[in-house]
Amino acid sequence: MHAWTRAKHWLIGAPLASAEHEHQLLPKFLALPIFASDALSSVAYATEEVVLVLALAGAAGLDFVLPIALAIAALMAVVVTSYRQTVRAYPEGGGAFLVTHDNLGLRPAMVAAAALLTDYVLTVAVSVSAGVAAITSAAPSSLGYRVPLALAFLLLVTVANLRGAREAGSLFAAPTYAFVAIVLVTLGTGFVRCLAGSCPQAVSAGTPLAPEVAGVTLLLILRAFASGASALTGTEAIADGVQAFRPPKARNAAATLAAMGVIAISMFLGISALSRLLDVRVTAESVDRYGTVLSQIGRAVFGSGAGFVVLQIATAAILVLAANTAYQDFPRLSAILAGHRLMPRQFRNRGDRLVFSNGILAISLLSGLLIAAFGAEVSRLIQLYVVGVFTSFTLSQSGMVRHWLRSRERGWRRSVVFNTIGAAATGVVLVVVVIAKFTHGAWIVMVAVPLFVAGMAAMRRHYMWVASRLRQVHPVDCGQVRPHRVAVLASRSGRHLERALRFGRLLRSDRLETWHVRETGDRRLRVHWQERHADIPLTLLEAGPDGVAAALRDQVRRVTAADPDSLLTVVVAEEVGTHRWRHAWSHRSGAPGILWALRRESGVAVADVNYQPAGRRPRRPRSDSRVTLVSKRLVRMAGTALDFGHSRAGPLQRVETVVLVSEVTAPTLRAVQYACSVSPAAVRALHVEIEPEQRARVEAAWDQYGVKVPLEVVPSPFRDLTSTVIEYLEDAAQRAGEGAVLNVVIPEFVVASAAGRLLHNQSALWIRSALYADTRIVVTSVPWALDEKPEAAAAR
């Protein structure tokens, strides 16, 4: 574990505190390579995509390269201008999703988001594959290694982005600016030579092109236009990521967007014009032999010298790093969608380096699958491209038209004109793209987007249903003590069982009893029970065909059904082993299933009492200055517990109770009411502040419901819930002194389906696992099954 921690810190860097977020904001010179690398790199293959389609009509089809390039450049200018209006109206960022959501509604916004996410994944796959194509053009012997090379570059970009936005910008700035510089030098040198009357010729110049279609038809021109429209990919990235800019955010984003548009249009038109002057000819069959369009231009202008090598290296670098634009926007958009309950809430979590790590890993996985499935071939992947881009373009610009018409802000008439032209132009292009590329792969995206939307809708329904259940709160009255029944689960005699019984006696209860499920060879327990604990009732249960866990679950249901007004706590004793997954459980058969089954029942609280046998020490990690805080705390806690010896693992004298609070919901208030009823001493609550907004929400709700339990708020500067809880509990255990045990009450809501559980953070699971080694702490889970009837929950 600690070797993994050291490797992680070496690979992505030490964790950054939340307070350092402002220092991660980007100046314009770093924002341009991060957010514009996709749009700038698209010019490296956009012209080639036009040529590949027009070459189907033979050499005559290439005469339409420049007119189509001019049309695409005009469209790019319209889209850039339109998105500058979007930045002005939505300075908080969010791009197509938020614009569409605010002006056209949730359903169209979901379509825009699904289209964008699909496009971001394709952007990574296409960019990395195109970068590998630049390498194979210079070194044809590497053609057989396209997929491994692409996956290696994908891993490189993933690690760079996990290190943080600012570090990624610093890493990618030089290659991006180097690409722009070398392309402009190449174009300038080529045009000067042509103007001087010594225009060089490409290696493929004059190559016969056998027509595969009957002349240049309107459908062929439209298909070429649709393929070349890939030059517009990434144009929306800056509008999506306004919040990553330094203040004034909107002004800096608009300026960067304008700079990107000017550079991209200039390079695209220059490459398209020079390709005709140099008579570049490529087909799907000959591109591997002659090289890409840009590589042929570079070879013709510089020969095979240093200029050509620099151009190819810069092209490969920018094409690979162009994926960085999608790496910035996919995680950010996923976080926004998670905030709207349209994606798993884990996508809102910031990682160690203040980036949305789960989104980065998700786009890496999805794009890696595409690269492997399509053999890292750009010509195959590109057919899936652009549909998502223009879907989001059209919805976003349509939303902006409605925004201006409703708000009528200063300059709204001019803005309406720009956005109307943008919506109309991108809408027409979307229709063209769908018609022209439908049978060539676009249908896959048209099927994927609705499926994506359906998945978002299902997740939102789930989260809305969970929220409706969690809002069914009931007031907490710590002055009202409810009847309480404690059942200690017994399998065999021993000090672990004695400790569990002692804990049960310390709780405030009306009845203490023991449950035992009959097993082979357990006669000794029953004999010892009569000798040592004759005053405590022993209930014998039959395991039945479904095992121990099912027998205990059925017993819980019988007890709670017979007395629904009473609280029930089942105490489970565990021996602490070297590893959590190897320790001696209280029951010999099916013990992991016992805890799992009981924690899924609303009518019971499950207390996990740990015992450390004399002489057994958990394995400690090697001392290392880079070991994480949580690891250090666990070592110190386990060591302290062992150094006190029998006093820590021996008889208990008192119980102090802490309730963990993440949000003030029905399960939380129910856990607080439980703690007030069973705790013989004062109860306190703990909230770990990950986000200031969440703290304010919790404190306001705490006051609103009049909870009399003191609420302690502890900030977590590194957004690490588990380590902050451990640190707090260690200090509390030390203050409590010898003979005391902390009863940590964790409210949990239980989702019946496995798919539903994946949509939640499972924080309680991580906290329980981290606290396992400390015998000074008892973890009590108070579960609430969300599929329980509301009236049943209220009764409890």
Side-chain angles (χ1 to χ4, degrees):
M1 176 62 72
H2 306 302
W4 158 249
T5 301
R6 291 194 296 271
K8 180 182 176 183
H9 287 179
W10 175 80
L11 199 61
I12 68 174
L16 297 174
S18 299
E20 298 182 56
H21 178 64
E22 290 296 322
H23 301 292
Q24 297 296 305
L25 297 179
L26 302 170
K28 292 192 291 291
F29 79 92
L30 285 181
L32 181 66
I34 283 183
F35 288 107
S37 56
D38 181 18
L40 295 178
S41 68
S42 297
V43 303
Y45 56 80
T47 300
E48 179 176 318
E49 295 305 315
V50 175
V51 172
L52 286 172
V53 175
L54 293 176
L56 296 175
L62 301 183
D63 293 336
F64 291 87
V65 168
L66 199 52
I68 291 175
L70 289 170
I72 293 172
L75 178 62
M76 186 183 297
V78 170
V79 171
V80 168
T81 305
S82 299
Y83 268 109
R84 281 171 55 86
Q85 306 302 313
T86 301
V87 170
R88 171 189 162 192
Y90 286 85
E92 72 277 10
F97 172 75
L98 288 184
V99 172
T100 308
H101 180 269
D102 289 352
N103 298 285
L104 301 180
L106 181 60
R107 288 290 178 179
M110 291 165 62
V111 174
L116 273 177
L117 292 176
T118 303
D119 178 67
Y120 290 147
V121 174
L122 287 167
T123 294
V124 174
V126 170
S127 298
V128 171
S129 299
V132 171
I135 295 175
T136 57
S137 293
S141 60
S142 62
L143 272 172
Y145 302 96
R146 278 190 297 206
V147 172
L149 283 172
L151 294 177
F153 285 134
L154 183 68
L155 180 61
L156 171 68
V157 178
T158 301
V159 171
N161 279 277
L162 287 173
R163 293 187 65 87
R166 190 173 182 87
E167 287 208 25
S170 301
L171 178 65
F172 298 158
T176 301
Y177 287 122
F179 171 74
V180 172
I182 190 62
V183 168
L184 293 178
V185 168
T186 302
L187 296 176
T189 304
F191 284 128
V192 167
R193 291 183 61 181
C194 288
L195 288 173
S198 57
C199 199
Q201 292 295 290
V203 65
S204 62
T207 301
L209 296 176
E212 298 182 23
V213 297
V216 181
T217 62
L218 176 61
L219 182 60
L220 187 70
I221 291 177
L222 292 177
R223 183 180 164 192
F225 178 83
S227 294
S230 59
L232 276 73
T233 57
T235 306
E236 80 292 342
I238 293 174
D240 289 343
V242 177
Q243 286 303 301
F245 284 79
R246 283 182 178 175
K249 297 176 182 291
R251 182 184 302 174
N252 288 336
T256 306
L257 186 56
M260 179 203 73
V262 170
I263 296 172
I265 290 173
S266 300
M267 291 197 302
F268 175 63
L269 288 177
I271 292 172
S272 299
L274 199 57
S275 70
R276 295 310 305 127
L277 291 172
L278 305 187
D279 194 19
V280 175
R281 302 186 179 192
V282 291
T283 63
E285 293 75 24
S286 66
V287 66
D288 289 336
R289 182 168 67 253
Y290 294 122
T292 62
V293 168
L294 187 57
S295 71
Q296 290 193 51
I297 291 175
R299 194 185 297 273
V301 172
F302 298 119
S304 299
F308 171 71
V309 173
V310 171
L311 175 64
Q312 290 305 100
I313 292 175
T315 301
I318 188 64
L319 286 171
V320 171
L321 299 184
N324 187 64
T325 298
Y327 271 91
Q328 294 298 312
D329 283 341
F330 183 100
R332 187 171 284 105
L333 178 57
S334 297
I336 293 173
L337 293 173
H340 285 76
R341 300 172 177 173
L342 295 170
M343 286 190 70
R345 62 178 54 187
Q346 291 91 331
F347 283 97
R348 294 188 63 192
N349 301 338
R350 290 187 182 271
D352 287 349
R353 303 290 293 179
L354 291 170
V355 294
F356 299 109
S357 304
N358 291 328
I360 292 173
L361 296 175
I363 191 173
S364 299
L365 175 63
L366 294 173
S367 55
L369 292 174
L370 275 180
I371 288 172
F374 286 83
E377 295 182 23
V378 178
S379 59
R380 296 175 62 193
L381 286 166
I382 204 73
Q383 304 302 326
L384 283 66
Y385 218 11
V386 181
V387 175
V389 178
F390 282 96
T391 300
S392 63
F393 282 172
T394 304
L395 289 170
S396 174
Q397 298 309 308
S398 300
M400 286 304 301
V401 171
R402 187 171 185 184
H403 168 81
W404 297 123
L405 291 174
R406 290 195 303 182
S407 66
R408 296 182 181 270
E409 301 172 11
R410 182 180 178 182
W412 69 272
R413 290 184 176 85
R414 181 186 60 183
S415 297
V416 162
V417 172
F418 280 129
N419 291 126
T420 300
I421 294 173
T426 54
V428 170
V429 173
L430 175 61
V431 174
V432 169
V433 168
V434 170
I435 294 174
K437 303 182 75 172
F438 183 83
T439 58
H440 298 275
W443 67 269
I444 299 177
V445 178
M446 295 181 68
V447 171
V449 169
L451 291 176
F452 214 147
V453 170
M456 289 182 185
M459 280 185 270
R460 182 172 173 83
R461 285 194 299 272
H462 170 81
Y463 282 127
M464 295 296 287
W465 173 74
V466 170
S468 69
R469 298 305 314 278
L470 297 183
R471 287 195 296 267
Q472 296 173 357
V473 298
H474 300 278
V476 174
D477 184 2
C478 284
Q480 178 187 3
V481 178
R482 296 178 59 184
H484 181 216
R485 183 173 182 173
V486 178
V488 177
L489 176 61
S491 173
R492 55 187 171 84
S493 300
R495 289 184 177 179
H496 67 291
L497 181 56
E498 300 294 332
R499 185 172 176 83
L501 290 170
R502 179 60 180 166
F503 174 77
R505 288 190 177 97
L506 290 175
L507 295 178
R508 185 161 53 192
S509 65
D510 302 283
R511 176 182 173 85
L512 175 63
E513 60 185 294
T514 305
W515 295 349
H516 172 68
V517 181
R518 295 178 187 270
E519 294 181 284
T520 304
D522 61 1
R523 183 176 180 181
R524 181 181 178 186
L525 170 69
R526 296 196 295 272
V527 173
H528 286 184
W529 195 263
Q530 295 301 321
E531 296 175 355
R532 300 179 183 179
H533 306 292
D535 59 321
I536 302 177
L538 175 63
T539 301
L540 299 177
L541 306 174
E542 298 297 334
D546 296 328
V548 174
L552 290 170
R553 183 188 62 224
D554 293 341
Q555 174 68 1
V556 165
R557 292 177 179 177
R558 284 193 295 269
V559 170
T560 54
D563 190 5
D565 294 328
S566 296
L567 300 173
L568 172 64
T569 300
V570 174
V571 180
V572 181
E574 297 189 68
E575 286 187 4
V576 177
T578 305
H579 297 284
R580 169 106 188 165
W581 52 89
R582 295 180 187 170
H583 72 282
W585 293 78
S586 57
H587 248 283
R588 292 189 297 275
S589 61
I594 292 172
L595 290 170
W596 176 256
L598 293 180
R599 286 178 180 138
R600 294 172 61 81
E601 295 294 316
S602 289
V604 61
V606 184
D608 196 356
V609 179
N610 296 325
Y611 170 76
Q612 178 70 57
R616 179 181 293 175
R617 287 178 174 267
R619 187 178 64 182
R620 301 187 184 189
R622 292 190 298 264
S623 176
D624 192 299
S625 61
R626 291 170 292 180
V627 174
T628 60
L629 174 63
V630 62
S631 301
K632 292 179 180 178
R633 293 295 179 182
L634 279 171
V635 172
R636 192 183 306 170
M637 291 168 74
T640 303
L642 290 170
D643 292 340
F644 277 103
H646 183 73
S647 65
R648 282 302 186 189
L652 304 177
Q653 300 173 10
R654 64 186 183 279
V655 176
E656 296 185 9
T657 304
V658 179
V659 183
L660 302 187
V661 176
S662 60
E663 293 282 359
V664 182
T665 60
T668 301
L669 296 182
R670 184 180 179 188
V672 172
Q673 183 68 67
Y674 166 83
C676 290
S677 296
V678 307
S679 177
V683 177
R684 61 184 183 272
L686 170 66
H687 171 70
V688 177
E689 178 189 342
I690 304 295
E691 300 175 350
E693 298 81 3
Q694 185 185 28
R695 171 179 181 168
R697 188 167 61 246
V698 167
E699 290 178 331
W702 205 254
D703 293 336
Q704 175 187 350
Y705 294 112
V707 184
K708 302 304 181 183
V709 173
L711 177 66
E712 299 183 36
V713 178
V714 178
S716 179
F718 294 97
R719 305 161 304 285
D720 191 335
L721 174 66
T722 303
S723 66
T724 306
V725 169
I726 290 175
E727 184 176 11
Y728 174 89
L729 294 177
E730 179 191 0
D731 294 339
Q734 290 178 347
R735 291 194 305 268
E738 297 184 27
V741 64
L742 290 181
N743 184 19
V744 180
V745 178
I746 304 179
E748 301 182 50
F749 62 87
V750 180
V751 181
S753 68
R757 289 193 292 273
L758 291 175
L759 298 178
H760 300 277
N761 285 320
Q762 306 295 329
S763 302
L765 175 63
W766 295 108
I767 293 173
R768 284 199 304 265
S769 298
L771 294 176
Y772 163 70
D774 195 341
T775 57
R776 299 169 298 173
I777 293 175
V778 172
V779 178
T780 300
S781 301
V782 182
W784 185 28
L786 290 183
D787 54 355
E788 183 184 25
K789 299 297 183 183
E791 55 271 19
R796 299 194 180 105

